[in-house]
Amino acid sequence: MLIAARRRAGSRGQGMRGSVVVLGAGMVGVSVALHLRRRGCDVVLVDRQGPGEGASFGNAGLIQREAVYPHAFPRTISELLRIARNNSVDAYYHPLALPSYASPLLRYWWHSEPARYAQIVLAWSELIRTCCDEHLALAKGTEAMELIRSVGFLRLYNDPVALEAAIAAAEVGKRDHAVGFDVLDGDGVAAAEPHLLVRRVGALNWTDPLSVTDPHGLTLAYCRQFLDAGGRFVLGDATTLAAQGAGWKVHTQEGPVEAARVVVALGAWAPKVTGPLGYSPPLFGKRGYHYHYGMQGNAVLNRPILDANAGFTLMPMRAGIRLTSGAEFAFTDGAKTPIQLERAEPLARRLLPLADRVEAEPWMGIRPCMPDMMPVIGPLPRRQSVWCAFGHGHQGLTLGPTTGRLVAEMMTGEVPFLDPAPYRPERF
Ligand SMILES: Cc1cc2nc3c(=O)[nH]c(=O)nc-3n(C[C@H](O)[C@H](O)[C@H](O)COP(=O)(O)OP(=O)(O)OC[C@H]3O[C@@H](n4cnc5c(N)ncnc54)[C@H](O)[C@@H]3O)c2cc1C
């Protein structure tokens, strides 16, 4: 069945702003689709699986207003040696996969040079600045608000020197980017989280981030808004995208879908579709995992915590306490190797009275990362009817609605609410 996008929108008497197929129904694609639909575009959202079942399913659930400094490639010898030993919780690599990472990692290292990094922070922090507002603009007054909590994000330290350094860095973030935080001493940490099993010297409490108790549920809630507004979701394979007349066509389980314009919001898989169109950005994946746990007795965790020494995060979620891992460099489609979770679990059990794992198999997702740590947003250089919305790395949940608004404003001819130039595809 051909989806007659134009006819359907017209029959509802909506303002016609053109037909768009959004490829990929993660947090980014759903947000783009919703923003386009609200502006009167006739939108079909296509994914090979249900909405929010990629990286957007199982992330740490943080809407990270504090993340104004993107994850840089380590530049000190001691840090590089630590990672090279391959026995840490925060980073792990498959030696056989490293050659496939060589080129993007080299570029990542180059962009992480302090002067270049400082320029990147300026552009990146502009995206981050409004992330909570953009989520709340979609969520307020809807079922989505039941999933969003404002409880801060605690970064625990057991080394006073490291805590002092973190406070000094946080002061800079507050001065330059209005990032809110307060500092807790050991007693403050124990009062905030009374069921911690060990005492910490102190913590930074980021006060601005929002935490989501079910990131998959939030993606579904935004998707329901899109559907209620007259948008359409269909299962289909984005790699079947082909030019059709002046527009595009993609095969779906409901037949071919045609549209004048396409948005590629395929996360880690985006180059599979842009590559055949002549655009192969140096995107690389950082895989990550989670397990959920119950808590013993009546113990609770009140807010997300990050153990700064070990490098793992624990979040209270609807499904249990979620333990997430750091970055794994492996073949994108390779089998799961949750080694970092296995290293983190005993450390987490020393911190909190965790009970049994909720599920037998860990969840795995892939962070879609760019070497310059910034997403790719805008039309393809030589194919202006194909738009990019991918590469959000560690902060795709955070930035989905921001990117959604920016893309929709540009595609419908509005003045974008922030300067999109730093994220344009032609920088690669
Ligand atoms: C362990 C972990 C913790 C994280 N914690 C956080 C956090 O706290 N805060 C935060 O902001 N971010 C976090 N992230 C990052 C965040 O999850 C990602 O940046 C974000 O989910 C990316 O969203 P996306 O929509 O671009 O991609 P995805 O959610 O991966 O969506 C891409 C979609 O494309 C679809 N697709 C792929 N190929 C095809 C095809 N051929 N045809 C059709 N469809 C296709 C997939 O099915 C998928 O639904 C974390 C990530 C991990 C792994």
Side-chain angles (χ1 to χ4, degrees):
M1 182 188 76
L2 186 76
I3 292 174
R6 184 173 292 273
R7 193 181 64 237
R8 200 156 50 78
S11 68
R12 293 203 172 102
Q14 314 237 358
M16 194 55 241
R17 307 289 293 268
S19 55
V20 184
V21 171
V22 178
L23 301 174
M27 178 49 85
V28 175
V30 166
S31 300
V32 170
L34 176 56
H35 271 285
L36 283 169
R37 182 68 201 137
R38 285 186 171 181
R39 285 165 176 77
C41 295
D42 194 27
V43 185
V44 182
L45 180 59
V46 176
D47 203 295
R48 62 184 173 188
Q49 52 189 347
E53 293 181 9
S56 300
F57 183 90
N59 54 54
L62 287 160
I63 299 172
Q64 291 190 264
R65 172 63 182 91
E66 90 296 351
V68 291
Y69 301 104
H71 286 264
F73 194 94
R75 302 278 304 184
T76 62
I77 298 289
S78 61
E79 187 65 355
L80 286 168
L81 285 175
R82 183 182 73 79
I83 289 170
R85 282 194 287 275
N86 214 11
N87 59 7
S88 68
V89 166
D90 58 341
Y92 176 71
Y93 59 88
H94 288 202
L96 290 179
L98 279 188
S100 66
Y101 278 90
S103 168
L105 287 190
L106 198 61
R107 296 171 78 157
Y108 185 16
W109 177 84
W110 188 84
H111 285 290
S112 300
E113 182 273 330
R116 291 185 197 104
Y117 180 75
Q119 290 304 310
I120 287 166
V121 168
L122 290 180
W124 168 257
S125 59
E126 279 302 299
L127 282 178
I128 291 287
R129 197 168 45 82
T130 58
C131 63
C132 294
D133 299 337
E134 293 303 325
H135 268 281
L136 293 175
L138 296 186
K140 269 200 177 142
T142 78
E143 54 173 349
M145 276 314 281
E146 289 163 27
L147 304 173
I148 298 179
R149 303 194 310 149
S150 177
V151 287
F153 174 29
L154 217 52
R155 202 179 160 100
L156 303 174
Y157 289 86
N158 64 0
D159 171 2
V161 176
L163 176 60
E164 282 310 313
I167 293 170
E171 291 288 0
V172 176
K174 186 175 187 175
R175 183 195 67 204
D176 294 348
H177 306 288
V179 174
F181 75 97
D182 46 43
V183 179
L184 304 185
D185 62 10
D187 289 343
V189 173
E193 294 297 345
H195 296 106
L196 288 182
L197 297 172
V198 288
R199 194 175 165 80
R200 291 293 188 227
V201 296
L204 268 186
N205 180 35
W206 302 113
T207 51
D208 303 319
L210 300 171
S211 52
V212 179
T213 54
D214 179 356
H216 178 222
L218 189 67
T219 312
L220 289 178
Y222 292 167
C223 192
R224 272 191 291 274
Q225 288 190 38
F226 165 68
L227 299 176
D228 290 347
R232 178 151 191 204
F233 172 78
V234 286
L235 290 170
D237 182 356
T239 60
T240 62
L241 183 75
Q244 168 82 4
W248 298 93
K249 179 166 83 174
V250 64
H251 289 287
T252 74
Q253 285 191 2
E254 298 184 24
V257 172
E258 290 181 20
R261 291 181 290 176
V262 178
V263 179
V264 180
L266 292 163
W269 298 272
K272 289 200 167 157
V273 166
T274 63
L277 302 178
Y279 181 66
S280 298
L283 185 149
F284 62 102
K286 292 185 188 173
R287 306 201 312 181
Y289 298 85
H290 82 223
Y291 269 130
H292 291 109
Y293 300 83
M295 284 280 252
Q296 293 174 26
N298 295 326
V300 290
L301 177 66
N302 293 317
R303 56 182 64 70
I305 57 174
L306 186 148
D307 186 293
N309 300 313
F312 61 83
T313 312
L314 289 160
M315 286 79 46
M317 292 275 176
R318 279 216 294 217
I321 302 296
R322 181 174 289 182
L323 170 66
T324 58
S325 67
E328 183 188 53
F329 298 87
F331 291 115
T332 303
D333 299 323
K336 293 177 187 172
T337 50
I339 287 166
Q340 290 157 289
L341 277 187
E342 277 151 24
R343 288 174 182 162
E345 183 180 309
L347 304 171
R349 288 189 181 284
R350 269 180 243 155
L351 195 62
L352 268 187
L354 297 175
D356 292 340
R357 286 180 187 166
V358 170
E359 57 281 282
E361 270 281 305
W363 170 85
M364 187 192 81
I366 307 176
R367 302 173 182 91
C369 298
M370 304 307 299
D372 65 355
M373 295 156 269
M374 289 200 293
V376 181
I377 300 172
L380 283 187
R382 281 181 295 281
R383 298 210 189 229
Q384 297 284 307
S385 59
V386 179
W387 287 68
C388 300
F390 56 81
H392 294 76
H394 292 249
Q395 271 85 35
L397 168 70
T398 300
L399 292 176
T402 305
T403 295
R405 179 175 166 193
L406 192 55
V407 169
E409 286 177 346
M410 287 193 281
M411 289 182 76
T412 56
E414 290 175 34
V415 176
F417 77 111
L418 54 88
D419 178 10
Y423 327 113
R424 66 197 184 285
E426 52 266 47
R427 71 187 196 271
F428 293 111

